[in-house]
Amino acid sequence: MGYGEDSHRLAEGRDLWLGGVRIESERGAVAHSDGDVILHALSDALLSAFALGDIGSYFPDNDPKWRGLESRVILEVVLQKVRESGYRLLQLVAVVTLDRPRLGPHRVEIQQNLAALTGLPERRVGLTFKTSEGLAPDHVQCRATVVLEPLPEKQGEKG
């Protein structure tokens, strides 16, 4: 199992990316990369399952070469590290907190895109959308939990 979370301040004139999907919004995440909190929290959850640090260890925000990085690239690198560890992702659950815009209408598209990015069936991609009830209207946050299993060829070695 692994757990990760990410949050970013929101500002006008920025794109809002969630789960690799651009969401129409007046405000988006202020970040060194594209600020996709779902992909960041998911990547950190995967790394935490193997005590491999966090995405900042691999993609530091003070390194100009990572400015504007698409978060799907981060996830691809992390998924490769998971495979190298002899495991694969079995299930993911993400809880996103955002006051506006409402995310319900985007659930299917985000779920489908996360399934495509991770190689999971859609039924193994759990999404929950919450608001902060006005407590944090200028931020977006995601908490993610992952369940992993040994790769079939590694079952005897790790299981």
Side-chain angles (χ1 to χ4, degrees), residues 6 8 16-22 29 31 33-42 55 69-72 113-114 117 142:
D6 191 49
H8 289 285
L16 180 62
W17 287 92
L18 295 171
V21 175
R22 186 180 177 283
S33 68
D34 64 12
D36 189 322
V37 294
I38 295 177
L39 296 187
H40 292 181
L42 173 58
I55 59 175
L69 179 67
E70 292 181 33
S71 297
R72 66 173 180 75
N113 201 59
L114 284 168
L117 289 171
C142 180

Side-chain angles (χ1 to χ4, degrees), residues 15-155:
D15 287 336
L16 180 62
W17 287 92
L18 295 171
V21 175
R22 186 180 177 283
I23 305 296
E24 192 65 39
S25 177
E26 294 175 1
R27 301 181 311 157
V30 175
H32 188 72
S33 68
D34 64 12
D36 189 322
V37 294
I38 295 177
L39 296 187
H40 292 181
L42 173 58
S43 296
D44 274 344
L46 291 163
L47 290 170
S48 79
F50 300 98
L52 294 173
D54 55 51
I55 59 175
S57 304
Y58 301 91
F59 306 95
D61 64 5
N62 59 1
D63 188 335
K65 76 178 176 183
W66 303 123
R67 179 165 296 287
L69 179 67
E70 292 181 33
S71 297
R72 66 173 180 75
V73 173
I74 295 171
L75 181 61
E76 289 168 3
V77 168
V78 170
L79 285 169
Q80 181 59 39
K81 291 189 175 304
V82 168
R83 285 187 292 276
E84 289 168 2
S85 296
Y87 282 78
R88 67 179 175 194
L89 182 59
L90 181 63
Q91 184 155 0
L92 74 88
V93 177
V95 179
V96 180
T97 303
L98 178 67
D99 284 2
R100 288 187 343 255
R102 294 288 190 183
L103 296 178
H106 305 283
R107 180 183 312 280
V108 171
E109 184 179 11
I110 294 170
Q111 184 180 33
Q112 288 173 340
N113 201 59
L114 284 168
L117 289 171
T118 60
L120 289 174
E122 290 176 35
R123 72 182 188 286
R124 294 199 178 245
V125 177
L127 290 174
T128 301
F129 301 135
K130 309 292 284 177
T131 70
S132 75
E133 300 291 334
L135 295 172
D138 296 321
H139 108 296
V140 59
Q141 182 175 35
C142 180
R143 294 175 179 94
T145 302
V146 295
V147 176
L148 300 114
E149 66 178 352
L151 290 168
E153 63 272 12
K154 302 287 186 178
Q155 283 281 347

